[in-house]
Each structure stands twice: as C-alpha cells, then as structure tokens.
Amino acid sequence: MDALFQPLADTLGASVDQIKLISCLLIAYPLGSLFVRVPRSKPALRHLFNIGVAMLFFFPVLRLYSAFFQLLGSILATYFIAKYNKSKSMPWIVFVIVMGHLTVNHVIRVIYGFSYETMEVTSPQMVLTMKLTTFAWNVYDGRRKAEELDKWQMQKRIVEYPSLLEFLGYSFYFPGILVGPYLDYMEYMDLINETMFQHAHVKATIRKGRRLPPGRKRAAYSRMVMGLIYLGAFVVFGGTWNYSISLKDWFVQMPLWKRIALYQLVGPIERAKYYAIWTLTEGASILTGLGFTGISHDGKPIWNGAANVKVLTIEFPENFKVLLDSWNMKTNIWLRECVYKRVTPKGKKPGNMSSMITFFTSAFWHGIASGYYLTFLMGGFITAAARQARANIRPLLLPPPDKPHASPSLLKRLYDISGVILSFMILNYAASPFILLSAEDSIKTWARLGWYGHIIVMGGLLFFYAGGAKWCRAMQKKKGILPPSKGKDGAAKGVSNGKATNGTSTPESEKVFTLPPSVDTFVPPQK
C-alpha cells in the first residue's frame, strides 16, 4: 500500500511512514462512528472490532508484522502473570518484563539508527507499556483490602478478572493503539458497556432514540481540525525553525539575548507535532464515546476526558507545575499512580526522591538516548525549585487571611507574570535535549544559551537551601500567615484562599456532575 501514500509524501516532503501514521489517525474517525453503532448488548463484537482495526493498521497499512506479534507477546505474558501470580511482587514482575522488552527495542532502534520519522514497534509499545503495567497494579489493588486503597486505586481496581477477549480488546483499543491516549481497563469497560451514559443526569440530556449525549461529533471534529492546523504549522515551519538551530554556525554569532529570544520562538513549532498527533487521537477517541466526563451546570455534556495536552496552558503556563500537568497528561497519570506513589514507602509522603525516581522512569520509558536523561534530570531539579518558590514566596504575596477576596497586589501580579515567562523559558531550555537526543549536542546548546536555565533553577535552589526558605517562613509568621501543613519538600498541601494548590480555580461552566467512582475520569508527569 506504500504506492498510495508515496505521492503525498513527495508533495509534503515527509516520509511515507509519517503519512501512513497520520492516515491511520484520520481513518480512525469514521471507524469511531462505526464502533458506536455496534450494540452495547454485544460487547464481544466491540472487542473484536478493536482487534480487527488494530490488525488493519499493523498489517496492510503500516506493515509492522513483527511489531504486532511482539506486542501480542507482552499482552499475553501480562495477562497470565497477573492472573496466576498472587504475590505482592506481581505488578513489579510485569513492570520489569514489559519495560525490559520496550528497552530492548529502544536499543535496537538506536543500533539501526531509526529516525523519529520511521514508524516501528517502540511507539505503540510505549502506549501498551502504560496500559499493561497499570492493569497489573489495578489487579493487585483488587486483591487488597479496601481501607488500604486511596481514591484512584478504589475507582480503578479490578475485582473480577477479565476474559482473554476482553483483555485483547482493551490492549488493542484502536484510536489509541499507535500513539495513545492511554486508558485503564475499567475506563475501557465503561466505554464498552456505555456505563457512564446510563445515569439519570446524563440520560436527561440524550434525545429520544439516541444512546450518547449530544456534542460528541462536534467535539471530535473540532479536535481533528485543530490537529490538522498544528500539523500544518509543523510541516511548513518545522523543517527550518527547530531546536537544532542552536547547532548552526550563524546561531552562535548572534548576541546571547537574541539566541535566547529566538529559542523561545522555535519551541512552540517543535511542540506542534506532539499537539497534532495527540489532538487527532483525542478526537477519534471521543467518537467512540471515550472522554465523557459529565454534565456542566448549564446542562451541556463535557468531552475532555481523553485529552492528553492543554496547548494554551503549556504555552502560557501560570507556573511549572501547571505546565507539567498539562503536557502528556495521560502519561503523567501513569507515572503518578504506577511509579510515584508505588516507590514511596508505606506511611510516608512522596518527596524529592520519589520525584527523581519518577523522572528517571519517564526517561527510561522514552528510550536510551542521553538527551532524555538530561531533560528529565533537569526536570527533577526544576520541580524541586518550583515547590520551594510556591511554598515560601507565594504565600507572602497573597491577600491577608482576614481579606481573602481582596484584589491581588502589584507584587502578586508581577510574580504571576514572572512565573509565566520563566516557566516558558525553562521549558524550552530543558526540553531541547529531549529533541536533540545526544549529550554532546545538548551540552553545546545549553552552553550557547548561556546556561540560563541552570542559573535560574540552581540559583533558586541555592537561595532556598542556604537560608532563603527559613527567612521566608519567618516573614510568613511575622505577617500572621498560617500556611497549610507541609511535606518534607516544603510544598504546601491543601487549598489557599479557596483555590486549589495549583493556583487555578475551575470555571463555573466546567464544573460537572460527578460520575460514580467506577466511571469517573480522573484528570490531573511518548515521544
């Protein structure tokens, strides 16, 4: 089938693999409309539909024969290990096997010098790794006492072990099989059985003769249009304006301030390709019914549960935590629930060590290129610095406790503006090794940018740990500020002035009727 895609690849200057991948993402749209027409009373047909479409993608279109059977091997291994191994180490056994298999393929990719334009097994395997390891933890949680589980674990635990057909349908869910979005098993079964659409609050919005709430197609195809716009921006500008300009001779000849400024402009163009594929897959998932999160107060269904990225929040972040929470959101959930919480000793709160292990796992999951490890190592330090600033500086700028609704002061406004600018600049600085991949090119780039990211982050940490944090807490006490309880890392927990700890409040129009625990979508750190 390559002959069908070659003319378009030649016209756009892209590889055939890229064109085939985008074609699969677009083909998923009409197939999503067909999926919802399969009666929910016949769940086996829905599972077979997912498996059949996945095989269509892998065999005649992408011609990834070996990849399909490798994925199938990991799926079967996980299924039988989780079923018959009842020990506490079962999730970690699955984690090591699945992640080890992925790492072997990452090594093979490097040995053969595959570029990111080449479609091979690692991209779908990264998504599958999240699904399989999450499944193992959900099964393990289903065997634990309810009082030992937190809210997410209670919602997602698997008490009744699935049939092999159900598990294969889950593993090969077709809108997300190639690049995501990742979903957990209970979320998949709610989709198959349309459980989330059967509640009285939801049924009230569904017209007679329909099974699904309105707005699904509008939400899906608006994502498709935006995904194509992002894709077009990357195709037009990405070949020239990208992070690799830092390696050009003309770049180093410019003044430092111009180099830093130019690097901020190419960052959004680099990210456009990720925005494109994640937005396209989100739309296709919505067409199958995935992503429904409830009903707003004005009676409108909300379809944002399949989102993997919030573009405006990333490009104009209030702070670095909000930025991280808005990028590759589904992977963030996986890292938080299957790594961050699981490596923390029982009875203790997660701290900087848990964060570092999580960032390292994320780098390991992405591949073996040294650039990944530079980015995520830097990310650990950035997170630590951001926590300190939030816990120690921000409370000093909030309205007094006796005037919680007072207008923000000029210093608070300047703090917020500085947070947006610094978060954006640090993102472009820290993310460059992730794209450049090699340590040599990454170090050269950081040097040509004057090490500004390291100066900001390490300078901030030095300030806080050299006495700045103690001084800030003394000032808080002097002003009569009583911050919420803090963990070992100094990060404040709970709420402040009626707002969530990320400094944002939910718009009234987006507050939703909460679905029951079994179907509630929990939205909160791939290629």
Side-chain angles (χ1 to χ4, degrees), residues 110-122:
V110 171
I111 291 174
Y112 283 93
F114 293 133
S115 70
Y116 76 90
E117 299 177 348
T118 303
M119 188 67 190
E120 41 78 63
V121 67
T122 56

Side-chain angles (χ1 to χ4, degrees), residues 268-485:
I269 298 174
E270 278 282 16
R271 290 186 286 276
K273 60 179 177 286
Y274 301 105
Y275 297 157
I277 60 173
W278 286 335
T279 306
L280 288 174
T281 57
E282 179 190 356
S285 300
I286 290 173
L287 281 176
T288 67
L290 185 69
F292 175 74
T293 54
I295 306 298
S296 66
H297 286 309
D298 56 5
K300 295 181 179 179
I302 298 177
W303 297 89
N304 58 14
N308 205 31
V309 65
K310 295 180 181 179
V311 177
L312 290 180
T313 304
I314 292 170
E315 299 301 334
F316 303 99
E318 295 182 16
N319 53 59
F320 204 76
K321 179 190 181 301
V322 171
L323 188 155
L324 282 181
D325 287 346
S326 302
W327 171 264
N328 207 352
M329 293 156 57
K330 296 298 185 179
T331 301
N332 290 343
I333 296 175
W334 172 66
L335 289 169
R336 182 190 67 214
E337 300 298 336
C338 297
V339 181
Y340 185 67
K341 289 182 178 179
R342 307 293 181 171
V343 300
T344 303
K346 187 176 180 179
K348 295 187 177 181
K349 295 180 180 180
N352 288 333
M353 181 58 67
S354 296
S355 295
M356 282 297 183
I357 293 174
T358 304
F359 276 112
F360 178 81
T361 302
S362 183
F364 196 67
W365 174 74
H366 280 91
I368 64 170
S370 53
Y372 295 145
Y373 296 87
L374 287 174
T375 288
F376 288 106
L377 178 63
M378 186 67 182
F381 289 112
I382 294 170
T383 300
R387 282 176 174 170
Q388 290 291 336
R390 184 163 192 79
N392 295 296
I393 296 178
R394 184 175 180 275
L396 294 172
L397 306 176
L398 293 174
D402 58 339
K403 298 179 180 179
H405 302 295
S407 299
S409 65
L410 176 60
L411 284 177
K412 176 61 166 61
R413 294 180 187 276
L414 292 175
Y415 174 85
D416 291 339
I417 294 172
S418 299
V420 172
I421 296 173
L422 287 176
S423 296
F424 183 78
M425 291 180 64
I426 291 173
L427 168 65
N428 290 316
Y429 180 89
S432 57
F434 187 90
I435 301 297
L436 298 174
L437 297 181
S438 79
E440 180 182 357
D441 290 343
S442 301
I443 299 300
K444 182 184 294 185
T445 293
W446 280 348
R448 290 183 174 184
L449 292 174
W451 299 97
Y452 77 81
H454 280 80
I455 292 173
I456 294 171
V457 174
M458 300 306 176
L461 287 173
L462 180 63
F463 166 76
F464 287 117
Y465 287 112
K470 184 177 180 181
W471 178 83
C472 287
R473 287 193 292 270
M475 291 295 294
Q476 291 179 28
K477 186 175 181 180
K478 184 177 181 180
K479 292 183 65 173
I481 300 172
L482 299 176
S485 60

